[in-house]
Amino acid sequence: MKWLKNIFFFGVLAALLMTIVQARYKIIDEAPLSGAYNMPDTVPLSLNTWFSGEFQDLYSAYYEYKMGFRPTFIRLHNEFRFRLFNKGVPHVILARENQLYEWMYWGHFRGYLAQPVDTVRERVKRIQELKDHLEQSGVPFMVIIGANKARYMPEYLRANYGKEEVLPNNYKTYLSALDSTDIKVVDFNQVFLDMKPEMGKKMFPNSGTHWSAYGMGLCLDSILSYANRRNPESLKQARVRGHYLADSTLPSDLDLADNLNLLLPYPLNSNLFPEIEIGTSGRKTRIFAIGDSFYWNLYQLDEFFEVADTGGHYWYYNRSEVHFDNSKVPVEQLNPVEIAAHSDIVVIISTEANLDTFPFGFPKDFFRSLAAKKQP
Amino acid sequence: MIFSSNLFLLVFIPIFFLVYYGVPYRLKNFWALAGSAFFYAWGAPLFLFVLIGSVALDFLISKTFHSQNRKFWLWVSLILNIGLLAYFKYANFFVENTNLMLGNFGFEQLEWTAVALPIGISFFTFQKISYLIDVYRGVRPRLKYFHDHLLYIILFPQLIAGPIVRYNEIADELLDRKKEINADNRFLGLFRFVIGLGKKVLIANVLGVEADQVFNADDAEKVNAGTIWYGAICYTFQIYFDFSGYSDMAIGLGRMMGFKFPENFNNPYVSRSITEFWRRWHITLSNWMRDYLYIPLGGNRVKGVRLYVNLWTVFIFSGLWHGASWTFVWWGIYHGFFLVLERLFLRKFYDRLPPIFCTLLTFFIVLLGWVLFRSETLDQALFFVGKMFTGFDGGPRLDVEFWLVITLAFLFSFMAIIPRVEVWQHRFLFERPATLRTLIMIVIILIILPLCIGAISGSGFNPFIYFRF
C-alpha cells in the first residue's frame, strides 16, 4: 500500500500546485462567475511594503480572487449549499417550485425604502411638468411601471418571507400620486394581475426577476400603440396576438439563476413568448426611454429591432445611454431636449424595486438643459 | 498566513512540501526553518526579528546552565521571556486599568501608545520557557546549534496556535527523524490535516457566523433568551471545532514533516467533571501549567487551603493566558471555582450519579463558561447569562444548515460516550492504515478538501479564534 499512499499524497500536492499553473496560464477554460465584484488592489513587493505588512495583507486578499479554478471551487461550494441546505446568495430568495426572487423586489413590496408621500408628490409634479412640455411640443409621454414578480406571485415564497403587501410602499404611493394627474401610466403590475387567472406563474421565468418575453412584448406593444395614437399607421406597430411556451431562454430569464453561480444547471420551467404581428406600413419608431433594465430587456426581442428606430435613445437610470449594440455613453455628453424633440415618444419606465429613485432625476436634468438652451 | 486560507493551501503547502521532500535530508531542517520564518513573517514581519533575537538570547543563556550561576541565568531568561509576553500582551490592559483607576481618583491619566499583539506570542513564549526549564532541569541536553533551537520555536505548524510542544517531546525528532519521513506519516498527516480543515471550515466557521450575530448584536437588550441559548450553543461547538481543528491541522502538518506533536484534545465534551474536562481540553496547556506552575507551587504535596489557592492561581493564570481582558480572568476564576468544589465534595457527589448526568452537568457548566469567555465585557456576560434563565421568550428561526452542522458537531463531540469509540478513534487516526482504511481515508480527503477550498473561496468569513491568544 506504500505506493498508493505515495501516489495519492503527491497527487494531491500536484493538484494543489495546478491551481498556481491555472492562475498563471489558464490551461483550462472556465466560465467566469456571474455578478459584480471588485478585484482587491495589490502593491508591488518592496522592503517598505513587506515590513509594514501592507504587501502581505493586500496580496492575501488579492490571491483569493486570482487563484486558479476559483470559479469552479465557488460553484462547487454554492452547489453544495444549494442542494443540501437550499441556500443561495444573499440577494436571491429561493422559493418553492424552483422560483427565484430578487430580495429588493420582495423588499419594496413589503415597504422597504418607502419614500414620504410629499417627496413622491413633488417628483410626480415634476413629471407632470415634463409631460406638459413634451405634449405641447407634440411628443407623447408615458410612464410605465414594470411588473414585480414578488407582488405578482408571493405565494411561492417560503414561510419566513411575508406574503402580504406592507403599506406604505412606493408602488402604491406613486400610483395614488399619478392618479391625480393626466399622465399616461401603464401599470404592468395590474396588467399582469388581471391576466393571472389565465396565465398563472408563466408570466415570469422561474429563474429570473424580470418579466417573461411575453411581458416584454406587451410593453413594446403598449409603447408603440401610444406613440401611434395621433397618426394611426404612421409608425410600424407590433401587436401581441398570442403567446406560446418554449423551453428556450432569454439572457434575462436566467439573471437570478446565473447569480447563484452553481456547478450544475438550475432547473428551468418553460418560458412564455409572445406571438407578435409586425405592421407592414409606417416607419420605425424613435423611442426615447429613460429607466431601469426592464426597458433594456426589450433589446432581447427580435421584433424590437424591426419596429424601433436606431435613432432612438435609452438612458439607463438617467446615467448612461445604452445603444442597440449595448455600448454606453454617459448622458452628460448628450442633450435630452434635443433628443426628445426628435423622438416619437418619451417613456420613463421603472419597476417597483427602483421607484425609490424614480424618475431618476430626469425631469430636473431636462429642464436644466432647456433653461441652458433658452439662454443666449 | 492562516491554514484555512487559499494562499496557504494552494501555494504554501505544495511548494513547501515538494521542496521539503526534494532536498537532501541534511537540508530539511534549514528548509523547514526558511519556510517557518516566511510563514511567520507573512503575518508579523518586524516581530520576526524580535523573536529571533529573543531565541538567540535563550540559546546563549542555556549555554550557562552547566555553570554555578545557572539558577541566576534561568531567572534572567524567565524574566526576559515573561517580560516580553507581559509587554506585548498585557501592557495595554495594565495601562487601561491603571488609567481607569487614576481617572476615578481624579488623577491625570498615563500617556500610552497601544502595543500591537504579535501573533502566537502566548504559544511560543511557553515553548521557549519549556526549553529553558527542561534544559535547566537536565531533562534534555540543550541543542548544539542555534538553527535547531530556532526551528523548535518557530516550526510553522505549531507556531501560532499550538499545540504547545514541549522541548522534551520533540528534541529527538529535531535532530533525527529520518525514519519518520515515510509514506505512512505523509498520508496520515495529510488525512489529519484535512480532517482539521473540515472541522474548522465546514463546522466552526458556519457556527461562528451564527454565534457572532448573537454576541455582536447591536442592541443586546433586544436579544431574547432563546437566541442567547442558540448563540451560546453555537459558540460552544465553534470554539471546540475551531481550536481542535487547528490542532489537528498542526499535528497533521507536523506528521507530514516527520514530527510527532502531542495531542491537544481528547473528546472534552464527554468529561464527567471540570477536572476531567481540563485533562481533555487544550491538553498541552494544562500539562504545561501543571508541570511549570502548579507543581512548582507545591502541587499535590500541599494540603488544605494552600492547595485550593494554588489550583485557583493556576486557573486565573490560565484565564489570563487566553487574553488581556477581565472576562478571561473571570473565566479562569469560574473554572477554578468548580475545580476546587470538586476537590472539596462535588466529585464524591458525582460518583453517586449516573455518568451521563455528570457529562450533561459538566457540559452545562462549560457552556456557561463559554458565554463569559465570548462576551466582550463582564456586564454583557452577566446580562446574557441572566437572560438565559429568565423565561424563554422565543428564539431564532433554525434552518437545515444549522441542524445538519449542529448534529454533526454534536455527534463528533459526544460519540466518545459510547464505549470503545475512543479506542476506535485512536486506531483510525493513529495506527498504520490497512488497504480498506486507506481507501476510506482517500475518499474522505477527496470529499472534504475540495469542499473546504470551495467554502474558503465562497465566503469571506474565515478568522481563527485562537489567534487572539
Side-chain angles (χ1 to χ4, degrees):
Chain A
M1 291 308 291
K2 195 176 157 188
W3 63 270
L4 177 63
K5 288 170 194 164
N6 270 332
I7 287 177
F8 181 74
F9 180 84
F10 287 105
V12 169
L13 287 192
L16 297 178
L17 210 56
M18 279 301 289
T19 63
I20 303 175
V21 178
Q22 171 74 3
R24 184 82 179 83
Y25 300 106
K26 303 277 176 220
I27 46 170
I28 295 170
D29 265 346
E30 288 180 289
L33 294 167
S34 298
Y37 55 85
N38 292 324
M39 189 81 172
D41 289 332
T42 184
V43 289
L45 178 61
S46 68
L47 282 178
N48 273 343
T49 57
W50 175 264
F51 284 111
S52 67
E54 188 188 6
F55 173 80
Q56 294 93 315
D57 288 347
L58 292 175
Y59 193 82
S60 297
Y62 172 78
Y63 190 77
E64 293 294 330
Y65 288 81
K66 184 75 182 157
M67 63 177 261
F69 301 114
R70 178 172 183 263
T72 306
F73 281 120
I74 288 182
R75 286 179 194 281
L76 175 73
H77 172 66
N78 292 352
E79 189 73 42
F80 174 73
R81 282 168 54 82
F82 175 69
R83 300 284 166 195
L84 218 58
F85 310 128
N86 197 38
K87 284 195 172 177
V89 290
H91 62 281
V92 177
I93 298 171
L94 307 183
R96 292 186 295 109
E97 298 189 24
N98 297 321
Q99 292 289 346
L100 300 177
Y101 294 80
E102 186 169 345
W103 190 93
M104 286 292 277
Y105 288 68
W106 172 77
H108 278 75
F109 172 58
R110 299 279 293 168
Y112 181 64
L113 292 179
Q115 301 297 301
V117 174
D118 289 346
T119 306
V120 171
R121 282 196 183 136
E122 186 56 34
R123 289 178 189 172
V124 168
K125 199 175 139 196
R126 302 289 284 177
I127 299 171
Q128 175 75 59
E129 288 165 11
L130 174 68
K131 180 253 174 196
D132 292 345
H133 176 86
L134 289 171
E135 297 223 335
Q136 273 172 18
S137 319
V139 181
F141 172 82
M142 72 190 301
V143 166
I144 292 179
I145 297 177
N148 178 0
K149 187 176 180 180
R151 181 175 291 278
Y152 177 73
M153 37 192 245
E155 62 272 19
Y156 292 95
L157 291 162
R158 290 182 194 280
N160 48 331
Y161 289 94
K163 295 178 182 63
E164 305 299 326
E165 177 177 27
V166 171
L167 293 170
N169 60 57
N170 292 325
Y171 170 65
K172 285 289 165 71
T173 311
Y174 267 101
L175 272 194
S176 164
L178 286 164
D179 261 358
S180 58
T181 68
D182 61 352
I183 299 167
K184 170 70 178 171
V185 178
V186 181
D187 171 17
F188 274 97
N189 277 320
Q190 196 54 52
V191 173
F192 273 41
L193 284 169
D194 291 344
M195 298 170 82
K196 192 173 178 183
E198 183 198 348
M199 309 301 270
K201 63 183 177 186
K202 291 179 289 191
M203 293 298 282
F204 284 92
N206 72 302
S207 49
T209 191
H210 291 94
W211 43 24
S212 60
Y214 182 61
M216 296 170 205
L218 293 176
C219 177
L220 182 62
D221 189 342
S222 306
I223 294 171
L224 297 181
S225 298
Y226 194 67
N228 220 10
R229 73 191 169 109
R230 287 194 182 156
N231 301 303
E233 306 306 319
S234 67
L235 300 172
K236 204 179 261 189
Q237 292 297 291
R239 295 272 180 223
V240 175
R241 298 295 185 199
H243 53 79
Y244 62 96
L245 279 172
D247 287 336
S248 56
T249 51
L250 299 177
S252 68
D253 293 340
L254 298 169
D255 52 10
L256 295 182
D258 281 347
N259 267 290
L260 292 177
N261 285 312
L262 299 175
L263 203 58
L264 303 173
Y266 187 79
L268 301 176
N269 294 345
S270 297
N271 289 309
L272 196 64
F273 288 84
E275 285 172 352
I276 299 179
E277 184 184 287
I278 303 292
T280 50
S281 62
R283 61 174 174 81
K284 289 183 176 180
T285 307
R286 287 187 298 269
I287 306 167
F288 181 16
I290 304 97
D292 59 16
S293 53
F294 274 64
Y295 185 79
W296 203 342
N297 285 172
L298 305 189
Y299 284 26
Q300 299 169 101
L301 297 177
D302 291 341
E303 292 87 349
F304 177 77
F305 299 99
E306 291 183 45
V307 293
D309 196 288
T310 48
H313 297 262
Y314 164 44
W315 287 16
Y316 183 55
Y317 290 103
N318 193 32
R319 286 201 295 264
S320 50
E321 175 163 298
V322 183
H323 298 147
F324 283 6
D325 61 357
N326 291 322
S327 60
K328 290 182 188 172
V329 176
V331 297
E332 290 77 18
Q333 297 174 14
L334 304 166
N335 186 328
V337 178
E338 295 284 330
I339 293 172
H342 292 97
S343 297
D344 296 312
I345 186 167
V346 175
V347 182
I348 302 187
I349 179 169
S350 171
T351 188
E352 187 175 350
N354 292 313
L355 285 177
D356 56 305
T357 55
F358 186 76
F360 315 114
F362 179 74
K364 197 174 162 189
D365 293 346
F366 182 88
F367 286 111
R368 193 185 296 137
S369 289
L370 190 67
K373 192 183 171 189
K374 281 180 183 168
Q375 278 176 359
Chain B
M1 204 182 300
I2 58 172
F3 291 169
S4 57
S5 68
N6 282 325
L7 197 61
F8 181 80
L9 292 171
L10 306 176
V11 180
F12 186 88
I13 282 193
I15 294 175
F16 175 82
F17 279 103
L18 285 175
V19 176
Y20 184 77
Y21 296 125
V23 297
Y25 177 73
R26 63 192 161 80
L27 296 180
K28 287 194 194 304
N29 272 5
F30 289 103
W31 176 245
L33 191 58
S36 299
F38 178 80
F39 176 86
Y40 193 75
W42 191 264
L46 282 174
F47 193 79
L48 180 67
F49 295 108
V50 180
L51 179 56
I52 293 172
S54 76
V55 174
L57 271 176
D58 289 348
F59 182 72
L60 292 174
I61 289 173
S62 67
K63 280 185 167 182
T64 67
F65 284 169
H66 61 274
S67 69
Q68 282 193 336
N69 293 330
R70 55 201 293 268
K71 198 165 189 174
F72 168 77
W73 286 113
L74 174 70
W75 277 106
V76 168
S77 64
L78 291 179
I79 288 166
L80 280 173
N81 277 296
I82 293 166
L84 209 62
L85 179 66
Y87 175 73
F88 281 103
K89 188 158 181 171
Y90 301 105
N92 295 340
F93 179 64
F94 176 78
V95 173
E96 205 175 284
N97 283 281
T98 307
N99 276 342
L100 199 71
M101 274 172 46
L102 290 173
N104 285 343
F105 289 109
F107 293 108
E108 199 176 326
Q109 300 198 336
L110 301 172
E111 295 256 340
W112 177 253
T113 308
V115 183
L117 177 68
I119 48 176
I121 190 167
S122 306
F123 289 94
F124 61 68
T125 301
F126 273 30
Q127 290 206 175
K128 290 167 93 229
I129 291 172
S130 125
Y131 176 85
L132 293 164
I133 294 178
D134 284 359
V135 171
Y136 175 83
R137 286 174 178 172
V139 178
R140 285 280 173 175
R142 70 177 189 86
L143 288 162
K144 200 171 164 190
Y145 300 108
F146 175 66
H147 59 81
D148 288 332
H149 186 162
L150 187 60
L151 179 62
Y152 160 60
I153 300 298
I154 74 166
L155 190 58
F156 77 87
Q158 41 76 34
L159 173 59
I160 51 179
I164 299 166
V165 184
R166 286 154 60 179
Y167 174 53
N168 65 23
E169 292 168 324
I170 201 178
D172 291 338
E173 289 156 7
L174 276 169
L175 300 175
D176 181 12
R177 58 183 182 284
K178 209 168 187 172
K179 285 181 188 164
E180 303 303 320
I181 302 173
N182 58 44
D184 280 325
N185 279 338
R186 272 196 289 269
F187 180 73
L188 281 170
L190 176 66
F191 178 73
R192 190 72 186 271
F193 177 81
V194 171
I195 290 292
L197 186 66
K199 282 162 91 172
K200 159 72 182 156
V201 176
L202 303 178
I203 297 179
N205 281 3
V206 176
L207 295 174
V209 173
E210 306 301 315
D212 282 355
Q213 281 180 6
V214 177
F215 286 98
N216 298 344
D218 288 336
D219 195 353
E221 299 278 330
K222 286 184 181 165
V223 180
N224 57 38
T227 306
I228 299 171
W229 276 105
Y230 171 76
I233 290 169
C234 285
Y235 188 69
T236 298
F237 287 110
Q238 182 206 353
I239 194 164
Y240 171 50
F241 282 90
D242 188 287
F243 193 19
S244 71
Y246 190 95
S247 294
D248 286 337
M249 284 189 264
I251 291 166
L253 288 168
R255 193 152 187 174
M256 283 154 71
M257 294 168 75
F259 290 103
K260 200 171 176 207
F261 293 159
E263 291 299 318
N264 217 13
F265 290 88
N266 180 19
N267 302 298
Y269 289 156
V270 303
S271 304
R272 293 171 189 175
S273 63
I274 292 297
T275 311
E276 187 185 349
F277 176 78
W278 281 102
R279 286 193 199 117
R280 290 172 174 270
W281 177 275
H282 204 172
I283 298 166
T284 56
L285 175 69
S286 301
N287 290 348
W288 195 99
M289 287 286 184
R290 181 196 63 206
D291 292 346
Y292 300 115
L293 186 59
Y294 179 67
I295 292 175
L297 283 172
N300 289 341
R301 289 163 299 169
V302 293
K303 301 282 175 205
V305 177
R306 175 81 192 277
L307 175 71
Y308 304 131
V309 169
N310 286 352
L311 273 172
W312 229 333
T313 305
V314 168
F315 272 82
I316 289 168
F317 273 108
S318 175
L320 207 53
W321 177 89
H322 283 83
S325 160
W326 286 111
T327 51
F328 294 124
V329 176
W330 282 107
W331 178 74
I333 291 171
Y334 174 81
H335 273 269
F337 172 73
F338 282 100
L339 216 76
V340 169
L341 281 190
E342 283 173 8
R343 290 272 179 136
L344 283 169
F345 66 89
L346 214 53
R347 216 153 47 183
K348 286 174 190 157
F349 175 67
Y350 284 161
D351 288 343
R352 294 179 193 167
L353 297 173
I356 187 75
F357 186 82
C358 299
T359 298
L360 288 175
L361 189 66
T362 304
F363 180 73
F364 179 72
I365 293 168
V366 170
L367 182 145
L368 290 184
W370 290 135
V371 176
L372 191 57
F373 190 89
R374 176 62 181 80
S375 298
E376 295 297 327
T377 60
L378 186 62
D379 285 346
Q380 190 195 30
L382 292 175
F383 172 77
F384 277 152
V385 172
K387 207 157 183 185
M388 285 164 84
F389 296 99
T390 49
F392 189 85
D393 52 351
R397 192 183 168 80
L398 307 178
D399 63 13
V400 184
E401 184 174 21
F402 170 78
W403 283 116
L404 186 86
V405 172
I406 206 77
T407 304
L408 283 176
F410 188 85
L411 282 175
F412 287 129
S413 300
F414 288 101
M415 65 183 178
I417 287 179
I418 303 164
R420 292 200 58 77
V421 163
E422 278 187 282
V423 177
W424 174 82
Q425 265 182 341
H426 191 272
R427 195 178 298 158
F428 195 80
L429 285 174
F430 306 126
E431 288 180 13
R432 213 172 86 173
T435 311
L436 179 65
R437 198 143 48 88
T438 302
L439 292 173
I440 293 171
M441 287 169 146
I442 285 175
V443 172
I444 291 172
I445 292 170
L446 289 178
I447 292 171
I448 293 180
L449 187 57
L451 281 179
C452 288
I453 297 172
I456 294 164
S457 309
S459 78
F461 181 81
N462 207 28
F464 267 113
I465 294 179
Y466 259 71
F467 271 26
R468 287 201 291 162
F469 309 135

